[in-house]
Amino acid sequence: MKNPRIVVNLEKLEKNIAFIAAKLAASELSITAVTKVFEAHPEMIAVYDKFPEIDYFGDSRIENLISYQASPKKKILIRIPMQSEAEEIVRYADISFNSELETVKCLNQAAKEQNKIHEIVLMVDLGDLREGYFDQQELLADTAEIMKLSNIWIKGLSVNLTCYGAIIPNHQNLGQLVELKKQLQQKYNLTLEMVSGGNSSSLYLLDSSTDYLPEGINNLRIGETFVLGRETAYGETYPQMHQNVFTLKAELVELKTKPSYPIGEIGVDAFGNRPEYVDKGNMKRGVAAIGRQDVNPDDITPLDERIEILGASSDHLILDMSNTGDDYQVGKEVEFSLSYGSLLSSFTSRYVKKEFIR
Ligand SMILES: *Cc1c(COP(=O)(O)O)cnc(C)c1O
């Protein structure tokens, strides 16, 4: 079985990594390569592993950190830990991001049992309203408590932006992170060697003429830009990078001329929605063997501009192929480009195969 599949061009990936690695190294930033969007696939991890500029691998899933234990890079759990996974985190992650004192105590207990020092980075919420300390007094008070724990080392501070609240990083909100670091350093005589200033949405600050990355930020965590070749604050592509490392391919299982308007009384579709249709007369409709179980049809784009996506059910993608002449037959593949969301879902679907080319 080979379809549906994602074709990954490892040479393009390597060029993308080289570009961003050089860019961050020039700004004296350490790099956390975030591996969740491609399920930490070993073929891709091997490419990242070649770059000494990459200091850390970060992932939100402990399973992915476990999968690359053999890598010499330090491993960071970038999602706030579940208390129930404390034992695995201490065993398989060198560092974890935290915002709850009780959870840090669980990690301390697990670290004691494993005779280890576990490093943590405290997460600060600067307005995106996903994870992190929002109340600075709570951060100060918890830091004092954490310092009493025998097997926990506070490695630094971190912020995440542009994920839930879509807040754009700038010198002001990232400057607050640097200020907090100074406060903690003075108050508690802490070293705090890592100040991690966000994800692919912070990259634009390195090139901006109107804003800047404040001094003191010394790490960025990059997932999307490496693989899709664009920064994510404004969605600008880097002309030096490839935006098509990945191509999704799905196979046509039916190609027939049918009406564009369904026949009979319209109720609700398989997902409980009441759809609306435009009557465009008869059209050549293709059915490809991929569906919502793998990918949201709104988040993929046919590479052949003559093809339009009409919709999808769990396992079928329906295409308007009226303008494609005789170029497609049943058994042929249709190709799509991927966004972050569709890459995430299709790459982590076990039904979608992965093929690696150079
Ligand atoms: C996913 C994630 C990242 C990487 O984000 P990109 O936009 O893919 O660069 C960084 N930090 C945290 C905490 C994340 O969850």
Side-chain angles (χ1 to χ4, degrees):
M1 246 179 309
K2 70 173 199 181
N3 282 326
R5 70 190 199 277
I6 297 176
V7 179
V8 186
N9 187 315
L10 294 175
E11 197 174 313
K12 289 180 179 174
L13 175 69
E14 188 163 339
K15 286 195 177 140
N16 281 4
I17 299 173
F19 176 74
I20 291 296
K23 190 176 185 65
L24 268 64
S27 301
E28 292 178 25
L29 292 160
S30 71
I31 305 174
T32 303
V34 175
T35 56
K36 65 193 180 200
V37 74
F38 54 91
E39 210 179 358
H41 197 290
E43 295 264 5
M44 292 176 65
I45 290 294
V47 180
Y48 283 82
D49 252 339
K50 286 198 262 182
F51 287 86
E53 299 92 330
I54 294 175
D55 307 273
Y56 307 94
F57 277 144
D59 205 294
S60 42
R61 312 274 172 163
I62 193 72
E63 292 90 337
N64 291 348
L65 297 187
I66 291 172
S67 75
Y68 48 69
Q69 283 301 299
S71 164
K73 313 273 186 218
K74 281 204 162 193
K75 292 140 199 102
I76 312 181
L77 186 78
I78 59 173
R79 181 170 67 185
I80 306 301
M82 295 184 261
Q83 292 185 357
S84 61
E85 62 180 351
E87 196 271 325
E88 288 95 333
I89 290 168
V90 168
R91 197 172 300 284
Y92 299 113
D94 301 292
I95 303 163
S96 60
F97 283 6
N98 283 273
S99 63
E100 291 288 352
L101 180 58
E102 285 310 310
T103 305
V104 176
K105 287 180 180 170
C106 293
L107 293 170
N108 184 55
Q109 188 55 39
K112 266 190 204 166
E113 284 159 18
Q114 295 175 37
N115 201 16
K116 273 185 166 177
I117 301 290
H118 182 69
E119 298 183 57
I120 66 165
V121 169
L122 293 172
M123 205 73 189
V124 181
D125 191 331
L126 296 175
D128 204 57
L129 303 186
R130 198 176 75 178
E131 77 277 44
Y133 283 96
F134 189 75
D135 178 348
Q136 301 194 354
Q137 292 313 315
E138 186 193 354
L139 171 65
L140 291 171
D142 280 8
T143 301
E145 290 305 307
I146 293 168
M147 288 175 70
K148 296 178 193 159
L149 303 175
S150 56
N151 292 57
I152 298 290
W153 174 251
I154 306 178
K155 190 184 176 67
L157 295 182
S158 170
V159 67
N160 199 58
L161 293 162
T162 340
C163 266
Y164 172 73
I167 298 304
I168 305 279
N170 56 34
H171 76 273
Q172 278 155 328
N173 49 29
L174 294 181
Q176 284 178 45
L177 190 69
V178 178
E179 274 315 305
L180 264 176
K181 179 220 174 186
K182 288 179 185 160
Q183 254 188 56
L184 285 173
Q185 242 171 355
Q186 273 166 10
K187 195 167 162 83
Y188 299 121
N189 199 22
L190 280 170
T191 320
L192 298 179
E193 62 173 279
M194 177 186 281
V195 185
S196 188
N199 55 45
S200 298
S201 70
S202 293
L203 278 172
Y204 85 98
L205 290 168
L206 300 177
D207 302 306
S208 172
S209 55
T210 53
D211 210 338
Y212 59 93
L213 193 70
E215 196 172 324
I217 300 289
N218 61 15
N219 174 272
L220 292 181
R221 309 178 306 275
I222 305 299
E224 177 163 349
T225 299
F226 279 133
V227 292
L228 293 180
R230 60 170 163 263
E231 59 80 31
T232 59
Y234 301 102
E236 297 291 330
T237 56
Y238 288 103
Q240 305 91 333
M241 297 181 79
H242 296 284
Q243 284 76 45
N244 59 351
V245 170
F246 305 94
T247 309
L248 176 67
K249 301 196 181 201
E251 187 170 324
L252 286 172
V253 292
E254 186 182 295
L255 189 60
K256 291 187 192 305
T257 298
K258 297 186 190 181
S260 47
Y261 199 85
I263 321 293
E265 184 191 355
I266 294 180
V268 292
D269 69 13
F271 295 89
N273 305 310
R274 187 172 296 274
E276 282 177 29
Y277 303 98
V278 184
D279 193 349
K280 297 184 192 168
N282 276 359
M283 57 168 61
K284 186 154 76 174
R285 296 163 74 94
V287 177
I290 189 168
R292 286 184 186 270
Q293 183 156 30
D294 313 293
V295 75
N296 181 342
D298 299 331
D299 289 340
I300 61 177
T301 309
L303 293 189
D304 185 336
E305 288 172 5
R306 299 170 301 174
I307 300 176
E308 193 192 330
I309 296 173
L310 294 170
S313 57
S314 323
D315 306 296
H316 300 79
L317 180 69
I318 305 157
L319 304 165
D320 179 357
M321 304 188 64
S322 304
N323 298 322
T324 58
D326 294 328
D327 291 352
Y328 293 87
Q329 296 87 40
V330 170
K332 290 276 180 304
E333 291 158 359
V334 181
E335 300 182 327
F336 304 89
S337 64
L338 294 169
S339 67
Y340 186 80
S342 54
L343 175 62
L344 181 70
S345 65
S346 59
F347 209 100
T348 55
S349 165
R350 73 178 169 95
Y351 300 105
V352 179
K353 284 78 187 171
K354 286 93 202 174
E355 178 187 351
F356 297 89
I357 59 168
R358 280 213 160 259

